[in-house]
Amino acid sequence: MNEQELIELVVKAVDDKRAEDIIMLDMKGISLVADYFLICHGNSEKQVQAIARELKDVAAEKEINIRRMEGFDQARWVLVDMGDMVVHVFHRDERSYYNLEKLWGDAPSVDLNQILS
């Protein structure tokens, strides 16, 4: 699976579970952890878990290895490590507190309009 296919797969998976304010940051040359960070949020613990579960299911279906998933039980900030992409699924109340978009403000955003339209 190439980079663009992975981006589309992940964005569509979180969008299918009605994740809100989906943004992707291009972390190449900025972070050694991953090439992309996808950040989104859900409005309840159940929705956060549903988004994370959908990511896990879609990855398994496409034989993409999820290296690690943390925070699922608490559902306040679930981190899904997919290798070249790390997905951050926040609870609405936690997202503004951690404000990863500002923390990584020097990272350019990836235009997701074509995928989400």
Side-chain angles (χ1 to χ4, degrees):
M1 175 169 288
N2 70 34
E3 191 175 82
Q4 188 59 37
E5 291 170 334
L6 178 62
I7 290 170
E8 289 181 24
L9 181 78
V10 170
V11 170
K12 287 178 181 178
V14 299
D15 188 50
D16 282 350
K17 293 300 176 184
R18 303 206 187 284
E20 295 192 17
D21 197 15
I22 303 167
I23 67 156
M24 184 170 290
L25 301 177
D26 185 340
M27 302 301 290
K28 292 180 203 152
I30 297 170
S31 171
L32 299 175
V33 176
D35 289 342
Y36 295 97
F37 281 0
L38 183 131
I39 305 167
C40 63
H41 71 265
N43 292 314
S44 69
E45 286 86 358
K46 288 193 182 291
Q47 186 184 15
V48 169
Q49 289 176 333
I51 294 165
R53 194 175 298 110
E54 181 70 7
L55 283 168
K56 185 177 180 181
D57 292 346
V58 166
E61 184 179 298
K62 297 291 185 180
E63 298 180 2
I64 298 169
N65 181 38
I66 292 190
R67 294 180 178 178
R68 185 173 58 189
M69 183 183 288
E70 295 182 11
F72 183 83
D73 292 337
Q74 298 84 5
R76 304 304 288 176
W77 177 4
V78 180
L79 183 139
V80 183
D81 183 350
M82 302 177 79
D84 290 339
M85 183 178 302
V86 174
V87 181
H88 302 270
V89 184
F90 285 99
H91 185 284
R92 168 189 68 224
D93 299 336
E94 305 296 320
R95 185 169 183 174
S96 61
Y97 177 78
Y98 289 102
N99 201 356
L100 292 186
E101 296 94 322
K102 185 175 180 185
L103 178 67
W104 296 104
D106 50 343
S109 294
V110 176
D111 183 8
L112 301 176
N113 288 327
Q114 287 186 330
I115 300 170
L116 293 172
S117 57

